[in-house]
Amino acid sequence: MARCCTGSWHAPVYFTVSVVLAFVAISTSLHSKSEDPMSPTKLTFHELSLNASKALRRANFNVMATLLQISPEIFLSSPNVTIFAIQDDAISNSSLPPWLLKNLLHYHTSTLNLPMEDLLKKPQGSCIPTLHRKKKVAITKINSKARSIEINNVSVSHPNIFLAETISVHGVLEPFSSLAPHDVHQGWNIIQAPMCDSKSVLASDDVKSTNMVEWSLIVRLLSSNGFVPFAIGLNSVLDGILEDYRGLDSVTIFAPPSLQSLTSPSPLLQRTVGFHILPQGLTYKELTAMPAGTLLMTLVRDLRLEIAGTASFNSGLVINGVEVVAPDIFTLNTFTVHGISRAFEVAEIPDTPT
């Protein structure tokens, strides 16, 4: 009886692992096949992932150990990495869809190699880059005397589980971002560190409180490709966007062919333009991979766009009842533009209490 109970965690854990691995199999198989399995680089890569996996298993982070052993490409896609391992029960009990779970794993993997000694040397408020679409995690508390640190208000409970020349692995008390099922409908924006993704970001050697989006290039491209009304509207409200979203590093724009003659700055124009912009870059492939009903955060804080699935007549993606007719018109590092058949209908501006 004891042996049965001891292994009871395996079923949910390996089910979760199998789902995640199935989701990333296509994206990682081409990368794996392109390398000679007997090359020195491959052997080093394999040895590092295997040794790190063994160390994680000894520390009872079995899910992360299995993922790292079977599909190390999820984590080791940067020359230097720090993995913040999530506890088994948090992953195995999660109801997140595979695409969001993969993003969560990327959000727990930094593109820097940071042993505990290096983490403790960083100033409180520093932002650390991750593999998840340039999102960052924040060092929210440091106690050098107690040699303790919190990231996104989560304690690093198992420091230095594994250290190597290019890899550091630490265990954390809980995930850096919520895993509650009801949060799935907030889309990719449940994965964020408020200190690093808003205008309150602290300037440091890791991050600058500037807007990285190439807005002037976006306006020119829209103007020269048939989206003149929207380009004029965007240019008119650009100062407000720059003020409200100083930490913005990528956007998705749904460009309509017309904008109801809204060409002068006004609260309604600001709201209308902002409703057509997401504060993260999403390609058409990434959008279509999201389940129907997913809500996407826009630059209007009280409004969301809803993915309705594909239209039956031509399998085009439909968002808020509007079809994406020209996907991926422009896709650069800081922005992606999709053409839509008409403008999204914008809810009325809420009454301001008097």
Side-chain angles (χ1 to χ4, degrees), residues 71-273:
S71 190
E73 293 86 356
I74 297 176
F75 307 94
L76 306 183
S77 57
S78 174
N80 298 282
V81 298
T82 297
I83 300 172
F84 296 97
I86 307 171
Q87 301 277 357
D88 287 349
D89 55 356
I91 298 183
S92 59
N93 295 331
S94 168
S95 299
L96 292 181
W99 59 269
L100 190 51
L101 187 54
K102 180 187 175 185
N103 293 339
L104 191 75
L105 295 173
H106 279 174
Y107 189 57
H108 285 72
T109 307
S110 174
T111 54
L112 304 174
N113 182 16
L114 297 169
M116 191 62 171
E117 289 290 341
D118 291 350
L119 284 172
L120 290 170
K121 292 176 183 177
K122 287 189 170 293
Q124 186 167 306
S126 295
C127 294
I128 302 173
T130 73
L131 290 177
H132 178 56
R133 303 186 66 82
K134 301 182 181 179
K135 289 287 186 180
K136 300 176 178 67
V137 293
I139 297 179
T140 49
K141 186 177 181 179
I142 294 179
N143 188 328
S144 299
K145 187 174 181 180
R147 297 185 59 77
S148 64
I149 189 168
E150 292 184 6
I151 297 177
N152 281 23
N153 299 309
V154 175
S155 295
V156 176
S157 56
H158 295 68
N160 296 343
I161 290 176
F162 178 77
L163 298 178
E165 185 178 357
T166 59
I167 301 175
S168 294
V169 180
H170 312 291
V172 292
L173 198 59
E174 58 186 69
F176 292 154
S177 191
S178 173
L179 293 180
H182 66 270
D183 288 334
V184 174
H185 295 292
Q186 295 182 25
W188 290 29
N189 284 282
I190 72 167
I191 297 181
Q192 56 187 334
M195 289 183 64
C196 297
D197 295 333
S198 70
K199 62 183 180 181
S200 63
V201 64
L202 300 178
S204 69
D205 57 350
D206 296 316
V207 63
K208 296 180 181 179
S209 56
T210 56
N211 194 305
M212 303 300 293
V213 179
E214 301 164 282
W215 291 108
S216 59
L217 176 58
I218 292 174
V219 171
R220 291 199 304 271
L221 290 173
L222 289 170
S223 299
S224 60
N225 285 271
F227 300 97
V228 175
F230 187 77
I232 294 174
L234 174 59
N235 191 61
S236 299
V237 303
L238 194 52
D239 287 344
I241 293 176
L242 293 173
E243 177 65 25
D244 293 339
Y245 290 89
R246 296 184 181 180
L248 205 58
D249 57 15
S250 63
V251 295
T252 299
I253 296 176
F254 297 102
S258 62
L259 206 59
Q260 300 178 339
S261 301
L262 294 172
T263 57
S264 58
S266 67
L268 179 58
L269 178 59
Q270 182 97 23
R271 189 173 175 85
T272 300
V273 171

Side-chain angles (χ1 to χ4, degrees), residues 12 38 42 67 307:
M38 297 304 295
K42 182 64 177 180
L67 286 168
I307 293 180

